[in-house]
Amino acid sequence: MGIKAALPKYEIYFYNTVLCLALLWATSWIFEVSNTNVNRKTFQSNIKPGWHYFGRKMDTADFEWVMWFSTFRAHILFALSGHILFAKLCTMLAPQYRSLVFLVYGVLAVWTSMGWTYVTLMLSHCILLYSISLVKIRWLCFLTGLCTLASFKCEPCVSWQAGFVEGDFELRHILFYGGCGFTIMRCMSFALENCEKKDGNYNILELLKYNFYLPFFYFGPIMTFDQFYAQVNRCHFSRKEREMWNISLHGLMNLGIIIVVDVLFHFMYILTIPTDLKLLKHLSDWAIVGLAYMNLVYDWVKAAVMFGAISTVARLDYLDPPKPPKCITLLYVFSETHFDRGINDWLCKYVYNPLGGSHCNVVEELIATLCTYGVTILWLGPCKVVLIWALFNCFGLNFELWTAKFFSVEPFTSFETALSEAGSRRLRAVFNAFNYWCVVLFNLLALNSLDFVKMVAKRLLLKGFPVTTVMVLFVTYCLVQVIKERERRQDFREEILR
């Protein structure tokens, strides 16, 4: 009721205008704070000299971004360029051996960057999970996979295994944990798919091809084994009309976004400011709210660009990798919230959907979400912040179902039925506005300190009440309506195409 209802054009224009003004207002506050505090002592460790074209310092608080697009940019480009070159040559000359070339190049690249002992460690985990998969008992494969994943997250196992890595270069720890974590998840996918195979077993060589595919090895995203196996072993390779144009355009868009983010880091220190609690106490409510929102948007942009760059390489290899995560600006429900679509698809396929069934039963949904977030905690690494983040997001996901069940009975259904479709959409948007900020606050826990999240909540709900609270919720209401309008038009276009 009211979900696909159209609103008057002038109303949509009004919502867009309010959003633009609010964003400009919050941005002006953050720009001013960045300008006046650039030489602050607490900023010295993160604010470094940037592009000399601007004559300004740059926010370098995010190690991952600096690693990918500054410090180790040449190394990453060299490794991926080599992969593209050999993959293209093999596809043209000997397409039947293409997947073997992926395997050999991947193993050699990992060997070169991390040493032969690390390759041996990864092989030992692959062999272990392959051996367990031959038994074809799902729960045993799952249990073994979780135990091996835990061995990379808990002491003393992780320290012992980390000793297998040679060298002391800066990327050592990042590559170690990335490669190990994704290896276990891929091996679990292989083992679970092998359990489903009715006639015989997959060859261990298929597991090694799947695991050592270099673009996905260290940083993901994860493709489930059944998808990878079907796509990498195709005999005929052809592209759709304008597909290469779309791949090139996608690559150029990623490059453009990288440049825009780097430029913004010279003018707005959105990552460094939240680390200075003394400074935050003197900022306006709009600056605090803007920082919270922009931190989430930035994390989505980072995930979209990092996975987008890898996905571009995979698409050149005739693969169909997981799509980028849905923009956080367009999310107002917990059921669609994720920053890694590959992990999200993995969890949905092997944990959430098998346990949750139709996702209509309250008890089944609770069990499914608890198990899903339990695996996620292990994947991210158990710690206080991750536990709190998982608890709140698990509650939010279940609370949405409880609320839907509660309002699906009388007298609420009669009340909504009495409204016009446009009125029903407006009413739902009011509740969605509250939910939107729950999504923002709960997911900020995974990106910033607990103290920063507490401060944002206090400014929104206590110190800023009622003026800031009402104004922020009204702007969020406008945002939700803009999102709903976008969804309505997208559904309309899809119906026409059918």
Side-chain angles (χ1 to χ4, degrees):
M1 176 71 180
I3 297 175
K4 297 183 179 181
L7 296 178
K9 287 186 177 180
Y10 66 84
E11 188 174 342
I12 300 298
Y13 293 149
F14 172 73
Y15 293 146
N16 279 288
T17 303
V18 170
L19 277 179
C20 291
L21 292 174
L23 186 60
L24 288 172
W25 181 247
T27 302
S28 67
W29 277 101
I30 297 172
F31 175 74
E32 183 181 347
V33 172
S34 301
N35 242 11
T36 55
N37 293 278
V38 64
N39 295 315
R40 194 176 176 88
K41 286 185 178 180
T42 53
F43 283 16
Q44 290 179 359
S45 60
N46 292 327
I47 306 300
K48 304 291 184 180
W51 294 358
H52 65 272
Y53 309 108
F54 299 112
R56 294 178 62 90
K57 293 182 178 180
M58 178 182 178
D59 192 342
T60 61
D62 189 345
F63 172 77
E64 281 187 318
W65 184 271
V66 174
M67 174 195 73
W68 261 81
F69 305 114
S70 296
T71 313
F72 295 98
R73 176 180 55 202
H75 300 75
I76 294 170
L77 283 175
F78 178 77
L80 292 179
S81 298
H83 172 89
I84 294 170
L85 177 62
F86 284 107
K88 186 63 178 177
L89 287 173
C90 188
T91 302
M92 291 190 300
L93 302 176
Q96 67 272 26
Y97 299 116
R98 194 174 69 113
S99 58
L100 281 174
V101 171
F102 291 162
L103 169 61
V104 173
Y105 185 86
V107 170
L108 289 176
V110 175
W111 191 335
T112 303
S113 59
M114 299 293 281
W116 70 270
T117 51
Y118 179 77
V119 175
T120 305
L121 178 64
M122 295 298 96
L123 285 173
S124 66
H125 284 286
C126 289
I127 293 170
L128 171 63
L129 278 160
Y130 176 77
S131 302
I132 297 297
S133 72
L134 297 178
V135 183
K136 295 204 172 188
I137 302 176
R138 286 182 63 88
W139 68 265
L140 184 60
C141 293
F142 220 103
L143 180 62
T144 305
L146 293 179
C147 288
T148 52
L149 184 60
S151 71
F152 289 109
K153 306 294 180 180
C154 305
E155 295 291 352
C157 298
V158 63
S159 296
W160 177 73
Q161 293 182 96
F164 285 91
V165 182
E166 300 172 352
D168 56 354
F169 56 99
E170 194 177 357
L171 268 180
R172 177 176 177 267
H173 293 290
I174 299 294
L175 297 183
F176 172 78
Y177 289 109
C180 293
F182 281 110
T183 290
I184 300 305
M185 299 298 274
R186 284 188 288 263
C187 288
M188 288 176 68
S189 177
F190 173 88
L192 293 169
E193 292 298 333
N194 194 58
C195 291
E196 296 297 319
K197 188 175 173 62
K198 295 179 179 179
D199 50 335
N201 300 286
Y202 289 109
N203 194 298
I204 190 171
L205 193 61
E206 299 298 339
L207 171 58
L208 298 180
K209 293 176 186 176
Y210 172 49
N211 185 59
F212 285 98
Y213 179 68
L214 183 64
F216 294 165
F217 183 79
Y218 286 118
F219 305 109
I222 285 182
M223 284 179 69
T224 55
F225 175 74
D226 58 325
Q227 293 178 334
F228 183 86
Y229 179 78
Q231 294 175 28
V232 83
N233 289 305
R234 285 185 299 183
C235 297
H236 304 287
F237 304 101
S238 60
R239 297 195 185 278
K240 298 176 182 178
E241 186 180 354
R242 297 177 64 83
E243 185 176 353
M244 275 305 299
W245 166 258
N246 291 331
I247 293 174
S248 303
L249 185 62
H250 186 72
L252 289 173
M253 284 178 60
N254 286 323
L255 179 61
I257 293 171
I258 292 168
I259 294 172
V260 169
V261 171
D262 259 19
V263 171
L264 288 177
F265 276 162
H266 287 78
F267 295 93
M268 293 191 294
Y269 306 143
I270 59 172
L271 303 179
T272 297
I273 294 173
T275 63
D276 191 338
L277 294 178
K278 289 184 179 179
L279 175 62
L280 289 174
K281 292 178 181 178
H282 297 93
L283 299 187
S284 69
D285 294 344
W286 278 101
I288 296 291
V289 170
L291 279 171
Y293 173 75
M294 288 187 179
N295 266 259
L296 270 182
V297 171
Y298 163 72
D299 199 71
W300 169 80
V301 169
K302 181 178 73 173
V305 170
M306 288 173 64
F307 291 142
I310 295 298
S311 296
T312 300
V313 176
R315 290 173 68 187
L316 289 173
D317 291 336
Y318 296 90
L319 299 180
D320 184 19
K323 295 178 181 178
K326 191 173 181 179
C327 181
I328 190 67
T329 303
L330 304 178
L331 296 175
Y332 53 87
V333 290
F334 283 93
S335 57
E336 296 182 3
T337 305
H338 55 267
F339 290 90
D340 184 339
R341 197 181 291 267
I343 290 293
N344 182 73
D345 292 346
W346 191 101
L347 290 168
C348 287
K349 180 170 186 178
Y350 299 122
V351 185
Y352 184 59
N353 289 334
L355 294 176
S358 61
H359 302 294
C360 294
N361 185 282
V362 173
V363 177
E364 287 182 353
E365 182 72 2
L366 180 61
I367 294 172
T369 51
L370 286 173
C371 292
T372 301
Y373 278 103
V375 176
T376 307
I377 290 170
L378 194 57
W379 160 252
L380 295 174
C383 64
K384 181 181 177 182
V385 172
V386 172
L387 290 171
I388 296 174
W389 168 83
L391 176 65
F392 278 110
N393 277 273
C394 184
F395 169 77
L397 192 58
N398 281 278
F399 187 72
E400 285 180 349
L401 177 62
W402 301 340
T403 305
K405 291 282 187 183
F406 181 75
F407 284 103
S408 64
V409 297
E410 295 292 348
F412 304 108
T413 52
S414 298
F415 174 76
E416 188 177 15
T417 304
L419 297 173
S420 64
E421 289 195 350
S424 174
R425 171 175 160 173
R426 296 186 185 101
L427 178 64
R428 287 171 179 261
V430 172
F431 289 100
N432 291 145
F434 286 95
N435 204 51
Y436 185 92
W437 273 100
C438 289
V439 172
V440 171
L441 291 174
F442 293 173
N443 283 282
L444 268 179
L445 289 165
L447 308 178
N448 294 94
S449 65
L450 188 59
D451 293 326
F452 176 63
V453 178
K454 287 180 180 177
M455 181 169 291
V456 175
K458 285 180 180 178
R459 290 293 188 94
L460 268 177
L461 304 175
L462 300 176
K463 190 176 179 180
F465 186 85
V467 178
T468 302
T469 307
V470 173
M471 289 181 68
V472 169
L473 286 176
F474 174 69
V475 172
T476 309
Y477 168 83
C478 295
L479 172 61
V480 172
Q481 289 288 20
V482 171
I483 298 170
K484 286 179 177 288
E485 183 64 18
R486 179 180 179 276
E487 292 173 346
R488 186 189 70 82
R489 292 181 179 180
Q490 188 173 352
D491 290 342
F492 181 72
R493 284 194 294 268
E494 289 176 357
E495 286 179 4
I496 292 176
L497 292 174
R498 289 171 193 167

